[in-house]
Amino acid sequence: MITVADAVEAPELGLRVVSGHELLEVPITLAHVSELVTPREWLRGGELLMTVGLLLDMDETSCIAYLEDCRAGGVAAVALGLGPRLPYQECPEPLRRAADTVGVPLLEVPAEVPFIAVTKWVFATMAEQERRDLDAAMSANRRLTQVATASTPLAALLDVWAEISDDDCVVTDGVGRVLARTPHTSDQVAHEASDVLHTAVEKAGGSLTGWSLHGRFEIHTVGDHVPLAYVILGAQMNPVARHSSTVLVSLLALEVERRHVAAQPERQRRATIFGQLMRPAIKPAHAQQLAESVGWRSTLVQVAVVKPCPAETDALVYRLRASLSPALIRVHGGLVEIAHPESDQLINTIGSVAAGLPVGVGAPVGVDALAVSATQARSLVLVSQQVGRIVTSAEGETVRLLLGVAEPRVLRGFADSVLAPLDQLDGRERIDLLRTLEEWLRVNGSWDPAAARLSVHRNTVRNRIERIAALTGRHLDNGDDRMELWLALKARAAAPRG
C-alpha cells in the first residue's frame, strides 16, 4: 500500500502540499488524469486525481462543488499541474480555500514534472511493493510448510501465523469447540469467533461449506461432505498475510484430515465392540471386560436411537462423536445408535445435536443387557416421530404417551362417546361423579383410600360408583370396562376442548 504521504516524499516528483497536511495517510490505488468538473462517476476510489483546472471556474463556490464531487468519488488527493503553458503557474487561492473547507488533500505538481511521470511512479511503486509482499509471502509460506511436519503441527502453524500477521486465527472442531488459536488471541476474541461461527452455521441450516465472510471474520470449512473443522481468520489482513492465508488454511486442513483418518481404526474398534455388547446372550464378565476396554467405569449404560435423513447421517454421526467422546456409536438399519454411560449428558447432547429428529431412549441397564435398552429405544423412535420430541422409556405416564400419538379430535371423540351419560348430568353431580370415578380408578377400586382422597364416606363412594355403572352400562368389576373408562378420562385430559 502506498499513501499520499509516500508520493509527497518522493524526491523525483517534487509534489508540494497546498492543503490537507493532516490527511496524507490516505492510500493511493492508482493515478488518474481528468479535466472534468464532475468526475465522480468515472472514479472508483483511492485515485490520485491530476488536473490542470482547464474547465474549472476559479471561484470558491465552483471549487467547493468540484472538490465535493471528487470526495464523493473517493479520491485520495487532487494534484494541480502548474506550468508556463498551463492555466496556472501557482495554486489559485479559491481552490486552496475550497480544499480547506471540503477536507481533500490538495497538491501542486511542478512544471518540470509531467503527469505521466507521476502515473509511472505510482504504478512502479505499487508493482515494487507487490513484489516485496509476494517475496515476503513466499518466505512465510516456506516457513509454514516447514513446521507442518512438526510434532505438534497445529500449534506450530499458528505460532508462525502470529509472526506473519497480527490478525487472529481460531481453529474449531466440526461442532464449534475451540481446538487451537494464535498465541495473541484473547479469550474474548476466541469466544466472539466461536459465537459468530455458531450463528453462521445456524443461519446456513446446520453446516457451512467453502469460504464465507461474517462481520470481521472469515470462516473456512474443512471437509467436503461433513464439516470436520472450521478455520476462523480476522478479515483485515495485510497483503503478505492475505497471500499466505490460503497456504495456512490448506495446511491446517491437512492436519485436521490427518487426525480424522488416524482416528478411523479406533472408531471402527469401538463400533465393533458396540456390536459385541448388543448380543443378547453375552456373559456379564465378558461384557464388563469390553466396557472397560472403551473406558466405561459406570455400572449402568443407556442406548439412544436417532432416525436422521439419509443425507445427514454422516454429519450427525460426526457431531455426536465430537460431543459424546465416551459414547459408542454405530449406524444400523438406517438408524444411528448411541450407547453412553451418563444418562443426563446423553439426552441433553442429543437434544442439541439432533434437534428436531425422532429420538428414542432406552432404560439404563447393566452392560450385559445393552440389547434390552437398544430394543426399547428403537421401539420408541416411531412414538417420538409422532409426538415430536425425545421419548424415553423412563417416562412414567405411559398412557398419556400413547394417547399423544393419536389425533386430538379422535381422542375427544372417544372420550365423549364413553363419558356422554355423565356429561348429560347437571354441573354439580357431573363433577362429583367424574372426580369420584377418577380417584377410585387411581387407587385400583379400593373404597377406603378413594373415600379418604375425596373426603367422603366410603358408602358415598360406593353409591356414586354404582350410579356411574348404571349410567354408562359398564361393569366396574370387569377389567376391560375399567380400562375403557380410565382411558376415556386420560384421553379427555390429553385433548381438552379449546
Side-chain angles (χ1 to χ4, degrees):
M1 179 185 74
I2 61 174
T3 65
V4 177
D6 295 328
V8 170
E9 292 170 3
E12 62 267 41
L13 299 182
L15 302 179
R16 188 176 74 86
V17 181
V18 176
S19 177
H21 291 79
E22 71 283 2
L23 303 173
L24 301 184
E25 296 303 323
V26 180
I28 295 175
T29 58
L30 54 88
H32 182 58
V33 179
S34 174
E35 295 302 325
L36 296 175
V37 294
T38 55
R40 176 173 57 177
E41 62 180 297
W42 303 99
L43 302 174
R44 293 294 179 267
E47 291 90 351
L48 174 60
L49 182 64
M50 293 175 285
T51 179
V52 297
L54 182 65
L55 303 178
L56 180 61
D57 292 333
M58 201 51 66
D59 60 81
E60 193 165 339
T61 300
S62 297
C63 290
I64 287 175
Y66 168 70
L67 291 175
E68 285 181 341
D69 192 75
C70 291
R71 185 180 63 182
V75 298
V78 173
L80 178 66
L82 306 177
R85 299 183 188 180
L86 299 179
Y88 303 103
Q89 281 71 54
E90 62 181 22
C91 180
E93 188 62 20
L95 185 60
R96 185 195 63 75
R97 289 197 301 269
D100 289 340
T101 300
V102 175
V104 172
L106 179 62
L107 313 178
E108 288 180 343
V109 183
E112 64 273 15
V113 178
F115 285 170
I116 188 61
V118 177
T119 301
K120 289 177 66 175
W121 181 89
V122 168
F123 283 99
T125 303
M126 292 176 63
E128 174 61 22
Q129 190 169 75
E130 288 179 359
R131 186 192 65 77
R132 289 197 303 268
D133 289 344
L134 186 58
D135 287 344
M138 292 295 291
S139 175
N141 293 344
R142 285 192 291 271
R143 292 178 61 199
L144 286 169
T145 305
Q146 287 169 357
V147 302
T149 58
S151 58
T152 56
L154 200 60
L157 287 168
L158 294 178
D159 286 342
V160 171
W161 179 254
E163 298 173 11
I164 296 171
S165 171
D166 292 332
D167 291 283
D168 298 292
C169 180
V170 177
V171 182
T172 76
D173 62 14
V175 295
R177 295 178 304 189
V178 176
L179 297 177
R181 62 189 181 188
T182 42
H184 59 254
T185 299
S186 65
D187 290 342
Q188 181 180 353
V189 172
H191 289 316
E192 181 185 354
S194 181
D195 290 342
V196 168
L197 172 62
H198 285 298
T199 301
V201 169
E202 184 177 348
K203 287 182 178 179
S207 64
L208 291 174
T209 57
W211 173 92
S212 53
L213 183 65
H214 303 270
R216 68 186 191 94
F217 296 105
E218 57 183 51
I219 301 176
H220 301 259
T221 305
V222 178
D224 293 330
H225 305 295
V226 178
L228 302 178
Y230 297 99
V231 180
I232 308 171
L233 288 167
Q236 302 300 320
M237 286 178 268
N238 61 46
V240 174
R242 176 59 64 192
H243 282 304
S244 298
S245 63
T246 53
V247 174
L248 172 72
V249 172
S250 297
L251 293 173
L252 289 173
L254 284 173
E255 170 58 15
V256 170
E257 295 276 6
R258 184 195 65 77
R259 292 186 180 191
H260 183 68
V261 171
Q264 182 63 19
E266 175 61 14
R267 291 194 293 270
Q268 292 176 341
R269 183 184 77 87
R270 294 175 72 87
T272 300
I273 290 175
F274 194 174
Q276 293 174 340
L277 287 170
M278 293 288 281
R279 294 173 182 170
I282 189 170
K283 295 182 178 181
H286 183 46
Q288 189 60 43
Q289 183 181 16
L290 291 173
E292 291 176 357
S293 73
V294 294
W296 285 358
R297 296 292 181 265
S298 175
T299 56
L300 295 177
V301 293
Q302 194 168 20
V303 175
V305 175
V306 185
K307 183 180 181 181
C309 298
E312 299 175 357
T313 300
D314 290 344
L316 174 64
V317 169
Y318 176 80
R319 291 195 298 269
L320 288 169
R321 283 195 178 117
S323 304
L324 292 168
S325 55
L328 297 181
I329 300 172
R330 71 171 186 171
V331 179
H332 185 70
L335 301 174
V336 178
E337 299 178 342
I338 311 105
H340 195 274
E342 298 178 27
S343 175
D344 290 342
Q345 184 186 359
L346 173 64
I347 295 174
N348 292 338
T349 301
I350 290 178
S352 173
V353 173
L357 296 178
V359 179
V361 182
V365 295
V367 290
D368 58 316
L370 203 63
V372 174
S373 184
T375 300
Q376 292 174 329
R378 289 192 206 101
S379 67
L380 292 172
V381 168
L382 181 59
V383 180
S384 172
Q385 195 167 9
Q386 293 292 322
V387 300
R389 61 176 176 82
I390 295 176
V391 177
T392 73
S393 63
E395 295 189 36
E397 298 190 26
T398 308
V399 172
R400 178 173 294 182
L401 172 64
L402 294 176
L403 290 174
V405 178
E407 295 183 14
R409 61 184 181 83
V410 175
L411 294 179
R412 287 195 296 268
F414 166 70
D416 290 347
S417 67
V418 174
L419 301 174
L422 303 182
D423 292 337
Q424 302 306 312
L425 301 175
D426 63 58
R428 183 63 188 174
E429 185 180 10
R430 180 175 62 85
I431 291 173
D432 285 344
L433 291 183
L434 287 171
R435 184 165 174 241
T436 299
L437 176 62
E438 183 171 1
E439 294 298 339
W440 183 74
L441 290 172
R442 196 183 297 279
V443 296
N444 200 27
S446 298
W447 303 108
D448 289 333
R453 283 171 173 265
L454 295 165
S455 300
V456 298
H457 195 275
R458 69 193 307 271
N459 289 338
T460 301
V461 177
R462 187 181 294 276
N463 291 336
R464 289 176 180 176
I465 293 301
E466 289 176 354
R467 176 136 171 82
I468 292 169
L471 288 170
T472 61
R474 263 73 176 180
H475 300 286
L476 295 185
D477 56 350
N478 181 284
D480 289 341
D481 285 357
R482 283 193 189 187
M483 177 57 72
E484 193 171 55
L485 286 167
W486 181 244
L487 285 174
L489 291 171
K490 288 295 183 182
R492 179 164 288 180
R497 291 191 178 280

